[in-house]
Amino acid sequence: MAIPLIIGLSVVIVASDGETPRVLVNRRDGGLGGLPFGTFDPEGHRTFELALRGWVREQTGFDLGYVEQLYTFGDRDRETPEATLADAPADARVVSVGYLALTADQQRLPDRLEARWRGWYSHFPWEDHRAGRPALIDSEIVPRLATWAAGSDSRRTRIDLAFGLNGRDWSEDRVLERYELLYEAGLVIECARDADLPLPDIRLGEPMASDHRRILATAMERLRGKIRYRPVVFELMPERFTLSDLQTACEGILGLPLHKQNFRRALDRTGLVCGTGEMKAGTGGRPAELYRFMRERVRKSAAIGITTPALRREGRD
């Protein structure tokens, strides 16, 4: 007998509050947050993207702008929202197509809906290094991972690479690898829930419904890498912005402080921004010029992004 197949669509919608990237999260049964999610109807929906836009508007009141396909999540035995629907076959195999959406408008959401904006570092506190290496990495995460890795050189190497230990630099691009290590080691609540095990003795970030924290980790990793070769960060910016605003947005995405002078020199070489001659009043400082994104330049050129020179690269002996 053929196993029923359900195609779901999940989306990570990212906005910025000026400093920290925020994601749109729905409140689900049991109080956990989950990404906006809907099923694809082969008869009623002409394309995946049109289906996505339609039910996101219905669920959240939000109109999607920039959207790109992220990844297809089809692991067997995924705990998914669809699997608990009354009309879903108990033996259904669920494949979820993930999307990444970016917006400069953190739209006000209708009070009648359960959708809310939430800073993505509330789910991944170990990823925010803008004020230095988070203390919980070395005080809580590393000792527990060391216990889990005892006697296994391969596990030890994975931990060193993921968390910047024993002379390795911290790499902001290993978001998914770090989360999956914590899951495999049983240190996140989702692992205990999925395997019906006791909860871990520490709460490492806010858990999410189903495998949505894994999907969010995938989106964070994609966006952190992509701003270097495509100007996607401008999809999070208002029409007019200061260079400090732009740097702050990049730092928020990367979770790292950037070198101001090197950042601006690299930005000048791209030709991606143009001064407007307008000024923004400073808060205690001198006014700063407002710039705009040269979108027309991108249409005429090859792939180009923003160089992100970190103020420092962390490593741990």
Side-chain angles (χ1 to χ4, degrees), residues 146-182:
T147 299
W148 170 73
S152 172
D153 291 341
S154 62
R155 286 183 176 183
R156 182 70 255 179
T157 299
R158 289 170 60 199
I159 294 168
D160 290 347
L161 290 171
F163 285 93
L165 304 174
N166 293 316
R168 268 79 170 198
D169 288 334
W170 170 268
S171 172
E172 61 275 15
D173 294 335
R174 295 180 180 269
V175 185
L176 181 59
E177 182 180 345
R178 283 186 282 271
Y179 175 72
E180 291 190 329
L181 260 176
L182 295 174

Side-chain angles (χ1 to χ4, degrees), residues 5 15 17 42 48 109 132 135 145-146 149 156 211 215 263:
L5 179 66
D17 66 359
F48 282 179
L109 305 171
L145 286 176
R156 182 70 255 179
D211 59 352
I215 297 174
F263 175 81

Side-chain angles (χ1 to χ4, degrees), residues 53 55 62 75 95-96 133 161 166 169 180 245 280:
R53 292 179 182 276
W55 58 251
F62 188 89
D75 294 356
V95 174
S96 183
R133 185 176 174 92
L161 290 171
N166 293 316
D169 288 334
E180 291 190 329
D245 293 337
K280 177 181 179 180

Side-chain angles (χ1 to χ4, degrees), residues 63-265:
D63 289 312
L64 293 177
Y66 175 95
V67 175
E68 66 174 74
Q69 196 169 118
L70 182 63
Y71 192 77
T72 299
F73 301 85
D75 294 356
R76 189 184 299 276
D77 300 325
R78 294 175 63 240
E79 186 200 7
T80 56
E82 304 91 341
T84 63
L85 295 176
D87 57 352
D91 59 345
R93 178 75 178 272
V94 182
V95 174
S96 183
V97 182
Y99 284 82
L100 171 63
L102 306 177
T103 179
D105 182 13
Q106 196 172 178
Q107 297 176 18
R108 179 178 174 81
L109 305 171
D111 291 337
R112 62 181 174 81
L113 301 175
E114 291 295 318
R116 295 292 180 268
W117 292 103
R118 178 181 290 171
W120 73 13
Y121 292 120
S122 66
H123 301 288
F124 299 92
W126 57 87
E127 293 291 339
D128 188 1
H129 291 231
R130 289 172 293 176
R133 185 176 174 92
L136 89 163
I137 292 179
D138 297 311
S139 64
E140 304 289 352
I141 292 176
V142 170
R144 287 171 170 80
L145 286 176
T147 299
W148 170 73
S152 172
D153 291 341
S154 62
R155 286 183 176 183
R156 182 70 255 179
T157 299
R158 289 170 60 199
I159 294 168
D160 290 347
L161 290 171
F163 285 93
L165 304 174
N166 293 316
R168 268 79 170 198
D169 288 334
W170 170 268
S171 172
E172 61 275 15
D173 294 335
R174 295 180 180 269
V175 185
L176 181 59
E177 182 180 345
R178 283 186 282 271
Y179 175 72
E180 291 190 329
L181 260 176
L182 295 174
Y183 184 99
E184 189 177 338
L187 298 179
V188 291
I189 288 175
E190 288 90 336
C191 176
R193 177 199 66 201
D194 297 346
D196 196 23
L197 296 171
L199 294 179
D201 63 351
I202 186 173
R203 189 181 182 92
L204 295 178
E206 290 295 321
M208 299 185 79
S210 189
D211 59 352
H212 288 193
R213 195 153 44 148
R214 180 178 177 228
I215 297 174
L216 177 53
T218 305
M220 291 173 64
E221 185 170 301
R222 167 75 65 85
L223 189 53
R224 283 181 169 186
K226 194 163 187 176
I227 63 172
R228 300 188 185 95
Y229 65 88
R230 291 298 298 168
V232 291
V233 66
F234 294 102
E235 302 296 338
L236 300 173
M237 302 302 296
E239 186 176 350
R240 300 287 188 269
F241 51 85
T242 68
L243 297 185
S244 291
D245 293 337
L246 181 61
Q247 179 174 335
T248 297
C250 290
E251 290 174 333
I253 293 169
L254 296 169
L256 291 174
L258 299 178
H259 191 285
K260 180 178 178 179
Q261 288 74 26
N262 289 346
F263 175 81
R264 295 194 176 186
R265 280 194 289 267

